[in-house]
Amino acid sequence: FNMQKNFIANASHELRTPLTAITGQLEVILMKERNEEEYRETMTSVLDDMKSLNNTSNRLLLLAQASSETSKVDFNPTRIDDLLWQAQQEIVKRNPDYLIEVGFSDTMEEEAQLTVTGNDQLLKTAVGNLMENGCKYSNHHKVQVLIEPKKKVLHVHFSDNGIGISPNDLKQIFEPFHRGSNALGYKGHGIGLSLVDRIVQLHGGRIEVTSEVGKGTSFKLILPYPNGENLTTA
């Protein structure tokens, strides 16, 4: 009950912040006549806040969906490489300076090794969040993704040479609304990694992370193959 109460309070705060900014800007611009450039600047700023609000609300809805057992109804055979390419294209379209390299390990022998059972939208959201985080927190906005089939599971590695995560923050990175002490200067809401964690658990997988401050971070997404063992209880 306390966790739900805190979540609602934090979610309300994240939604209220851009709404307050939008209201304030519109009130100021309407106080007197402005020139065309001032109106344009305010509209651009309001549009950015609305996009932020929309992004936050979408992530909160996905977080709720990932916490619901009913999401399993939509599970189907899914090619993980297709989702990676789709997420890559969407992210680079929004951020042309981001570089996302996707590769395959030497253990890749056949296409069947790329297929897991899951929800397309949720899995694409998970890998997209890991890609975007890697680029956002890297000086060169670059992340490397490696698909590595194993005997019973599929590993997907996301590695960057960014700011890294401190040992204290590593313990809490999957908590909703938690942000690392060295990430406060970057745009974000602290929803992405908690969403990734929920999605991975829902798919019977797990996620592992290693990091060193100032050198970078590596996330390893581990998903079971169809009819494989549920890793959340293994």
Side-chain angles (χ1 to χ4, degrees), residues 137 163-164 169 177-190:
Y137 297 116
I163 62 175
D169 286 323
F177 303 104
H178 176 79
R179 302 199 69 204
S181 56
N182 60 344
L184 299 181
Y186 298 80
K187 288 185 177 180
H189 304 283

Side-chain angles (χ1 to χ4, degrees), residues 22-32 34:
I22 290 170
T23 303
Q25 291 176 92
L26 293 177
E27 287 177 342
V28 170
I29 200 70
L30 291 172
M31 288 177 68
K32 64 178 184 179
R34 311 280 179 172

Side-chain angles (χ1 to χ4, degrees), residues 10-11 19 36 51 85 100 102 113 121 133 146 192 229 232:
N10 286 325
L19 283 172
E36 181 180 345
K51 288 180 179 179
W85 297 124
I100 302 170
V102 180
Q113 293 176 303
Q121 182 187 23
N133 272 5
L146 179 68
E229 184 178 15
T232 59

Side-chain angles (χ1 to χ4, degrees), residues 8-105:
I8 292 172
N10 286 325
S12 299
H13 172 75
E14 293 297 337
L15 295 174
R16 187 169 62 245
T17 299
L19 283 172
T20 301
I22 290 170
T23 303
Q25 291 176 92
L26 293 177
E27 287 177 342
V28 170
I29 200 70
L30 291 172
M31 288 177 68
K32 64 178 184 179
E33 288 295 323
R34 311 280 179 172
N35 59 45
E36 181 180 345
E37 183 61 27
E38 287 177 311
Y39 282 123
R40 185 176 297 277
E41 288 178 0
T42 299
M43 290 174 65
T44 300
S45 180
V46 168
L47 181 60
D48 287 340
D49 286 330
M50 291 179 68
K51 288 180 179 179
S52 174
L53 178 62
N54 187 53
N55 183 51
T56 302
S57 61
N58 285 338
R59 290 194 174 195
L60 288 171
L61 287 171
L62 282 171
L63 191 58
Q65 182 182 3
S67 302
S68 172
E69 292 296 319
T70 58
S71 298
K72 293 183 178 179
V73 176
D74 300 324
F75 279 21
N76 294 292
T78 301
R79 283 277 298 259
I80 199 70
D81 58 328
D82 286 344
L83 298 184
L84 289 169
W85 297 124
Q86 291 172 26
Q88 179 199 48
Q89 291 176 2
E90 292 175 7
I91 293 169
V92 172
K93 184 178 181 180
R94 295 194 302 268
N95 306 277
D97 59 331
Y98 282 10
L99 178 60
I100 302 170
E101 297 180 349
V102 180
F104 301 87
S105 74

Side-chain angles (χ1 to χ4, degrees), residues 76-80 83 112-120 123 153-154 203 223-226:
N76 294 292
T78 301
R79 283 277 298 259
I80 199 70
L83 298 184
Q113 293 176 303
L114 295 166
T115 301
V116 296
T117 301
N119 179 291
D120 285 4
L123 282 177
V153 295
L154 178 64
H203 286 77
L223 294 170
Y225 281 124

